[in-house]
Short mmCIF file of all heavy atoms in Angstrom, two decimals:
data_model
loop_
_atom_site.label_atom_id
_atom_site.label_comp_id
_atom_site.label_asym_id
_atom_site.label_seq_id
_atom_site.Cartn_x
_atom_site.Cartn_y
_atom_site.Cartn_z
N HIS A 20 -107.63 135.99 -128.67
CA HIS A 20 -107.14 135.03 -129.66
C HIS A 20 -107.83 133.68 -129.52
O HIS A 20 -108.02 132.97 -130.50
CB HIS A 20 -105.62 134.89 -129.55
CG HIS A 20 -104.87 136.14 -129.86
ND1 HIS A 20 -103.49 136.18 -129.92
CD2 HIS A 20 -105.28 137.40 -130.11
CE1 HIS A 20 -103.10 137.41 -130.21
NE2 HIS A 20 -104.17 138.17 -130.31
N LEU A 21 -108.18 133.32 -128.30
CA LEU A 21 -108.95 132.08 -128.10
C LEU A 21 -110.32 132.22 -128.72
O LEU A 21 -110.83 131.27 -129.36
CB LEU A 21 -109.07 131.78 -126.60
CG LEU A 21 -107.76 131.47 -125.87
CD1 LEU A 21 -108.00 131.42 -124.37
CD2 LEU A 21 -107.15 130.14 -126.36
N TYR A 22 -110.93 133.38 -128.58
CA TYR A 22 -112.23 133.60 -129.22
C TYR A 22 -112.11 133.64 -130.74
O TYR A 22 -113.01 133.19 -131.46
CB TYR A 22 -112.87 134.89 -128.69
CG TYR A 22 -113.51 134.71 -127.33
CD1 TYR A 22 -112.79 134.97 -126.17
CD2 TYR A 22 -114.83 134.27 -127.22
CE1 TYR A 22 -113.37 134.79 -124.92
CE2 TYR A 22 -115.41 134.09 -125.97
CZ TYR A 22 -114.68 134.36 -124.83
OH TYR A 22 -115.26 134.17 -123.60
N ASN A 23 -110.99 134.17 -131.24
CA ASN A 23 -110.76 134.13 -132.69
C ASN A 23 -110.68 132.69 -133.19
O ASN A 23 -111.23 132.36 -134.24
CB ASN A 23 -109.48 134.88 -133.05
CG ASN A 23 -109.60 136.38 -132.87
OD1 ASN A 23 -110.69 136.91 -132.71
ND2 ASN A 23 -108.46 137.07 -132.90
N LEU A 24 -109.98 131.85 -132.44
CA LEU A 24 -109.91 130.44 -132.81
C LEU A 24 -111.30 129.82 -132.79
O LEU A 24 -111.67 129.08 -133.72
CB LEU A 24 -108.97 129.69 -131.86
CG LEU A 24 -108.88 128.17 -132.05
CD1 LEU A 24 -108.50 127.78 -133.47
CD2 LEU A 24 -107.91 127.56 -131.04
N ALA A 25 -112.08 130.12 -131.78
CA ALA A 25 -113.44 129.59 -131.71
C ALA A 25 -114.27 130.02 -132.93
O ALA A 25 -115.09 129.24 -133.44
CB ALA A 25 -114.12 130.06 -130.42
N HIS A 26 -114.03 131.24 -133.41
CA HIS A 26 -114.70 131.73 -134.61
C HIS A 26 -114.39 130.83 -135.81
O HIS A 26 -115.30 130.43 -136.57
CB HIS A 26 -114.25 133.16 -134.88
CG HIS A 26 -114.56 133.66 -136.25
ND1 HIS A 26 -115.82 134.12 -136.62
CD2 HIS A 26 -113.78 133.79 -137.36
CE1 HIS A 26 -115.79 134.50 -137.89
NE2 HIS A 26 -114.56 134.31 -138.36
N PHE A 27 -113.12 130.47 -135.99
CA PHE A 27 -112.76 129.63 -137.13
C PHE A 27 -113.21 128.18 -136.93
O PHE A 27 -113.48 127.48 -137.90
CB PHE A 27 -111.25 129.73 -137.39
CG PHE A 27 -110.85 131.06 -137.98
CD1 PHE A 27 -110.25 132.04 -137.20
CD2 PHE A 27 -111.11 131.34 -139.31
CE1 PHE A 27 -109.91 133.26 -137.74
CE2 PHE A 27 -110.77 132.57 -139.86
CZ PHE A 27 -110.18 133.54 -139.08
N VAL A 28 -113.28 127.74 -135.69
CA VAL A 28 -113.85 126.42 -135.40
C VAL A 28 -115.31 126.40 -135.82
O VAL A 28 -115.78 125.47 -136.50
CB VAL A 28 -113.71 126.08 -133.90
CG1 VAL A 28 -114.50 124.81 -133.57
CG2 VAL A 28 -112.24 125.90 -133.53
N ASP A 29 -116.06 127.45 -135.44
CA ASP A 29 -117.48 127.53 -135.78
C ASP A 29 -117.70 127.54 -137.29
O ASP A 29 -118.72 127.04 -137.78
CB ASP A 29 -118.10 128.79 -135.16
CG ASP A 29 -118.21 128.72 -133.65
OD1 ASP A 29 -118.10 127.59 -133.11
OD2 ASP A 29 -118.39 129.78 -133.01
N ARG A 30 -116.74 128.10 -138.02
CA ARG A 30 -116.86 128.16 -139.48
C ARG A 30 -116.38 126.88 -140.16
O ARG A 30 -116.43 126.77 -141.38
CB ARG A 30 -116.07 129.36 -140.01
CG ARG A 30 -116.70 130.69 -139.62
CD ARG A 30 -115.84 131.86 -140.04
NE ARG A 30 -115.57 131.87 -141.48
CZ ARG A 30 -114.73 132.71 -142.07
NH1 ARG A 30 -114.09 133.62 -141.35
NH2 ARG A 30 -114.55 132.66 -143.37
N GLY A 31 -115.88 125.93 -139.37
CA GLY A 31 -115.45 124.65 -139.92
C GLY A 31 -114.11 124.68 -140.63
O GLY A 31 -113.79 123.76 -141.38
N LEU A 32 -113.30 125.72 -140.36
CA LEU A 32 -112.01 125.83 -141.05
C LEU A 32 -110.88 125.10 -140.33
O LEU A 32 -109.80 124.94 -140.89
CB LEU A 32 -111.64 127.31 -141.23
CG LEU A 32 -112.47 128.04 -142.28
CD1 LEU A 32 -112.16 129.53 -142.28
CD2 LEU A 32 -112.22 127.46 -143.66
N VAL A 33 -111.11 124.68 -139.09
CA VAL A 33 -110.14 123.85 -138.38
C VAL A 33 -110.88 122.73 -137.67
O VAL A 33 -112.06 122.86 -137.33
CB VAL A 33 -109.31 124.66 -137.35
CG1 VAL A 33 -108.42 125.66 -138.06
CG2 VAL A 33 -110.19 125.37 -136.35
N GLN A 34 -110.20 121.62 -137.50
CA GLN A 34 -110.82 120.44 -136.90
C GLN A 34 -110.08 120.03 -135.63
O GLN A 34 -108.87 120.18 -135.53
CB GLN A 34 -110.80 119.27 -137.90
CG GLN A 34 -111.81 119.41 -139.04
CD GLN A 34 -111.36 120.45 -140.07
OE1 GLN A 34 -110.20 120.48 -140.47
NE2 GLN A 34 -112.29 121.29 -140.50
N ALA A 35 -110.84 119.48 -134.71
CA ALA A 35 -110.28 118.98 -133.45
C ALA A 35 -109.40 117.76 -133.73
O ALA A 35 -109.60 117.06 -134.72
CB ALA A 35 -111.41 118.62 -132.49
N PRO A 36 -108.43 117.49 -132.83
CA PRO A 36 -108.11 118.25 -131.62
C PRO A 36 -107.29 119.49 -131.94
O PRO A 36 -106.42 119.47 -132.81
CB PRO A 36 -107.30 117.25 -130.79
CG PRO A 36 -106.63 116.37 -131.81
CD PRO A 36 -107.61 116.25 -132.94
N PHE A 37 -107.57 120.57 -131.26
CA PHE A 37 -106.86 121.83 -131.45
C PHE A 37 -105.67 121.88 -130.49
O PHE A 37 -105.83 121.69 -129.29
CB PHE A 37 -107.79 123.02 -131.17
CG PHE A 37 -109.17 122.86 -131.73
CD1 PHE A 37 -110.27 122.82 -130.89
CD2 PHE A 37 -109.37 122.70 -133.09
CE1 PHE A 37 -111.54 122.64 -131.39
CE2 PHE A 37 -110.64 122.51 -133.61
CZ PHE A 37 -111.73 122.49 -132.76
N PHE A 38 -104.48 122.13 -131.04
CA PHE A 38 -103.27 122.26 -130.22
C PHE A 38 -103.11 123.75 -129.92
O PHE A 38 -102.68 124.52 -130.78
CB PHE A 38 -102.07 121.70 -130.98
CG PHE A 38 -100.81 121.59 -130.17
CD1 PHE A 38 -100.83 121.23 -128.84
CD2 PHE A 38 -99.58 121.82 -130.77
CE1 PHE A 38 -99.66 121.11 -128.10
CE2 PHE A 38 -98.39 121.70 -130.04
CZ PHE A 38 -98.44 121.35 -128.71
N VAL A 39 -103.50 124.15 -128.72
CA VAL A 39 -103.56 125.57 -128.35
C VAL A 39 -102.35 125.93 -127.50
O VAL A 39 -102.18 125.45 -126.39
CB VAL A 39 -104.87 125.87 -127.59
CG1 VAL A 39 -104.91 127.33 -127.16
CG2 VAL A 39 -106.08 125.55 -128.47
N GLN A 40 -101.52 126.80 -128.07
CA GLN A 40 -100.31 127.27 -127.39
C GLN A 40 -100.60 128.65 -126.79
O GLN A 40 -100.67 129.64 -127.51
CB GLN A 40 -99.16 127.36 -128.39
CG GLN A 40 -97.80 127.66 -127.80
CD GLN A 40 -97.22 126.46 -127.10
OE1 GLN A 40 -97.19 126.43 -125.87
NE2 GLN A 40 -96.76 125.48 -127.86
N THR A 41 -100.84 128.70 -125.48
CA THR A 41 -101.10 129.99 -124.85
C THR A 41 -99.76 130.62 -124.47
O THR A 41 -98.92 129.99 -123.83
CB THR A 41 -102.02 129.83 -123.63
OG1 THR A 41 -101.52 128.79 -122.77
CG2 THR A 41 -103.43 129.46 -124.07
N VAL A 42 -99.57 131.87 -124.88
CA VAL A 42 -98.28 132.55 -124.80
C VAL A 42 -98.35 133.63 -123.73
O VAL A 42 -99.25 134.47 -123.74
CB VAL A 42 -97.91 133.17 -126.16
CG1 VAL A 42 -96.52 133.81 -126.10
CG2 VAL A 42 -97.98 132.13 -127.27
N PHE A 43 -97.36 133.63 -122.85
CA PHE A 43 -97.37 134.54 -121.71
C PHE A 43 -96.07 135.35 -121.64
O PHE A 43 -94.98 134.80 -121.80
CB PHE A 43 -97.53 133.75 -120.40
CG PHE A 43 -98.78 132.90 -120.37
CD1 PHE A 43 -98.74 131.57 -120.77
CD2 PHE A 43 -100.00 133.45 -119.98
CE1 PHE A 43 -99.89 130.79 -120.76
CE2 PHE A 43 -101.15 132.68 -119.97
CZ PHE A 43 -101.10 131.35 -120.36
N GLY A 44 -96.22 136.66 -121.41
CA GLY A 44 -95.04 137.47 -121.12
C GLY A 44 -94.47 138.25 -122.29
O GLY A 44 -93.41 138.86 -122.14
N ILE A 45 -95.15 138.26 -123.45
CA ILE A 45 -94.72 139.10 -124.57
C ILE A 45 -95.41 140.45 -124.44
O ILE A 45 -96.63 140.51 -124.23
CB ILE A 45 -95.09 138.45 -125.92
CG1 ILE A 45 -94.29 137.17 -126.16
CG2 ILE A 45 -94.89 139.44 -127.08
CD1 ILE A 45 -92.82 137.38 -126.45
N LEU A 46 -94.67 141.55 -124.56
CA LEU A 46 -95.27 142.88 -124.49
C LEU A 46 -96.20 143.06 -125.69
O LEU A 46 -95.76 143.02 -126.84
CB LEU A 46 -94.19 143.95 -124.48
CG LEU A 46 -94.69 145.39 -124.33
CD1 LEU A 46 -95.45 145.58 -123.03
CD2 LEU A 46 -93.52 146.36 -124.43
N GLY A 47 -97.48 143.22 -125.40
CA GLY A 47 -98.51 143.26 -126.44
C GLY A 47 -99.53 142.15 -126.23
O GLY A 47 -100.64 142.21 -126.77
#
């Protein structure tokens, strides 16, 4: 998912600063 975000950053669809919520402990 971090790489997916980087993909959209590279395409210019989102602008910094990016608020990245890393999620831990969900099955999946």
Side-chain angles (χ1 to χ4, degrees):
H20 296 185
L21 295 171
Y22 281 92
N23 289 347
L24 175 56
H26 164 80
F27 288 103
V28 171
D29 290 344
R30 291 175 58 187
L32 287 173
V33 294
Q34 287 74 44
F37 318 117
F38 189 37
V39 178
Q40 187 75 254
T41 50
V42 184
F43 302 94
I45 293 289
L46 184 60

